Amino acid sequence: FASKGLNGSVIAAGGAVALAARVSARKASRGERIRPAKRRVVRSAGLLNNIKEFFAKNISPSDGGAEDTSVRIRVSSNMSIGQPFCGEYQEQSVKCNERAVYKKLGLPANSQAVYLLYNDAQQWAFTPHADGRPDGWAFVGDAAMDPTSIGGPFSIWDGSDWVPDTTLKLLGPGQSAEEEPSSVVSAQPSGLQD
């Protein structure tokens, strides 16, 4: 490693330390304040410790972190109107109306969160709100304690009407769909298939 001295000459790494000492001595002789390098090192060490703590708290189990004991469920649908809700959801540490709250995984950065929860209107709902308010994109009036036990179809808002999706399924760990979807069926606003 080499650097340039004040006069433009190239100096080796060891010479850089000597140069720093000469610059410090020159500043001291002029009465200028000398900032100790140690202070920067302490700040850097503090920043590094903060970064290490952040990753230690937020590291995923696949990266060697603490074991993840939360439940994951999978949502599937054969209808195009149900596709935005498809994917994997992870149980959160909070409950809403005595039932687990699930958050969709794998959403793009800066996108709105999608929760599956039992809202204040006693409905399981797909919603952007984790607080239980009866506001969202899809719901089913079923009092099941676990979403994988829901019996009725979800009604999904298409922009003008609530369309039932009888193919939307919620699957728990180890469960598989009775029929794997072979193709997506698009739905008209009336709920009729193409």
Side-chain angles (χ1 to χ4, degrees):
F1 175 80
S3 64
K4 291 201 178 217
L6 293 175
N7 63 2
S9 62
V10 176
I11 53 175
V17 173
L19 176 64
R22 283 192 305 241
V23 170
S24 293
R26 196 174 309 135
K27 284 184 174 183
S29 69
R30 288 190 224 149
E32 293 178 29
R33 184 170 174 234
I34 302 170
R35 291 186 176 200
K38 185 187 240 184
R39 192 178 198 180
R40 241 182 241 133
V41 171
V42 169
R43 264 191 251 149
S44 296
L47 177 63
L48 288 175
N49 284 336
N50 288 345
I51 292 169
K52 286 179 188 175
E53 288 174 18
F54 171 81
F55 282 107
K57 289 177 187 172
N58 297 299
I59 196 162
S60 69
S62 62
D63 294 334
E67 184 179 339
D68 183 6
T69 58
S70 62
V71 174
R72 290 188 180 191
I73 61 172
R74 198 168 28 106
V75 176
S76 67
S77 172
N78 289 0
M79 293 180 66
S80 61
I81 195 152
Q83 292 301 302
F85 308 109
C86 292
E88 193 172 23
Y89 289 72
Q90 183 169 17
E91 183 179 1
Q92 303 298 289
S93 59
V94 297
K95 291 198 178 281
C96 183
N97 296 309
E98 301 175 12
R99 290 164 179 83
V101 173
Y102 297 85
K103 184 176 182 181
K104 188 172 185 181
L105 301 175
L107 292 172
N110 300 327
S111 65
Q112 193 170 31
V114 178
Y115 296 97
L116 171 64
L117 54 76
Y118 191 72
N119 67 24
D120 295 341
Q122 284 80 51
Q123 304 163 330
W124 280 98
F126 289 98
T127 176
H129 312 289
D131 59 6
R133 71 180 94 164
D135 181 21
W137 305 291
F139 73 94
V140 61
D142 191 311
M145 290 303 289
D146 179 82
T148 60
S149 302
I150 293 171
F154 274 83
S155 293
I156 302 172
W157 184 249
D158 71 355
S160 61
D161 200 8
W162 291 100
V163 179
D165 183 346
T166 56
T167 68
L168 193 135
K169 296 189 183 338
L170 293 95
L171 306 167
Q175 289 182 318
S176 62
E178 296 156 8
E179 292 178 32
E180 286 299 317
S182 56
S183 64
V184 174
V185 178
S186 77
Q188 298 294 333
S190 66
L192 298 175
Q193 297 177 0
D194 286 336

